[in-house]
Amino acid sequence: MTSFGFSRGMPPVADFLFDMRFLNNPYWNPQLRPLTGKDGAVADFIRGDPAFAESFARIRDLLLTVLPRFKLAGKGYVHIAFGCTGGRHRSVFMVEHVGAALRAAG
């Protein structure tokens, strides 16, 4: 899983790429700007976005559906990329949050 900022360009190769710029941007909050998606205050801000819960559930469910199929097809790896404007807040949070959900599911 990769977190990236669209302002610096997209990863050259990814099996799945999710654009998180539709979520409210913590960058515009002066207290959150210096933090990252690994910080609790940023996580709370992102979780508070009305679009977060449903979009997270849909992304998680999609990946839980397709990843076993990739394994059955013999694919040794899958690169999942999450992007936001700067690659510091929303995309980092999603990598951490989705990664935890995938690990919990085995």
Side-chain angles (χ1 to χ4, degrees), residues 5-24:
F6 281 98
S7 62
R8 293 177 186 86
M10 297 189 317
V13 179
D15 297 294
F16 294 94
L17 188 145
F18 297 99
D19 183 345
M20 305 315 298
R21 292 177 292 183
F22 66 92
L23 294 173
N24 292 331

Side-chain angles (χ1 to χ4, degrees), residues 6 50 57 62 80 98:
F6 281 98
L62 169 66
I80 303 164
V98 171

Side-chain angles (χ1 to χ4, degrees), residues 8-50:
R8 293 177 186 86
M10 297 189 317
V13 179
D15 297 294
F16 294 94
L17 188 145
F18 297 99
D19 183 345
M20 305 315 298
R21 292 177 292 183
F22 66 92
L23 294 173
N24 292 331
N25 192 347
Y27 176 86
W28 299 113
N29 180 316
Q31 284 91 22
L32 300 179
R33 185 175 296 170
L35 304 177
T36 74
K38 292 184 177 184
D39 291 301
V42 172
D44 291 342
F45 179 89
I46 294 169
R47 279 191 203 100
D49 187 311

Side-chain angles (χ1 to χ4, degrees), residues 13-102:
V13 179
D15 297 294
F16 294 94
L17 188 145
F18 297 99
D19 183 345
M20 305 315 298
R21 292 177 292 183
F22 66 92
L23 294 173
N24 292 331
N25 192 347
Y27 176 86
W28 299 113
N29 180 316
Q31 284 91 22
L32 300 179
R33 185 175 296 170
L35 304 177
T36 74
K38 292 184 177 184
D39 291 301
V42 172
D44 291 342
F45 179 89
I46 294 169
R47 279 191 203 100
D49 187 311
F52 169 73
E54 182 179 357
S55 60
F56 166 77
R58 288 174 179 251
I59 292 168
R60 179 201 61 215
D61 292 348
L62 169 66
L63 293 173
L64 289 174
T65 299
V66 301
L67 290 178
R69 303 283 306 191
F70 275 101
K71 186 174 182 179
L72 286 172
K75 188 161 172 83
Y77 66 90
V78 175
H79 182 186
I80 303 164
F82 288 92
C84 62
T85 305
R88 181 176 179 89
H89 298 104
R90 295 165 290 181
S91 61
V92 171
F93 172 76
M94 288 300 288
V95 164
E96 295 294 319
H97 205 62
V98 171
L102 296 178

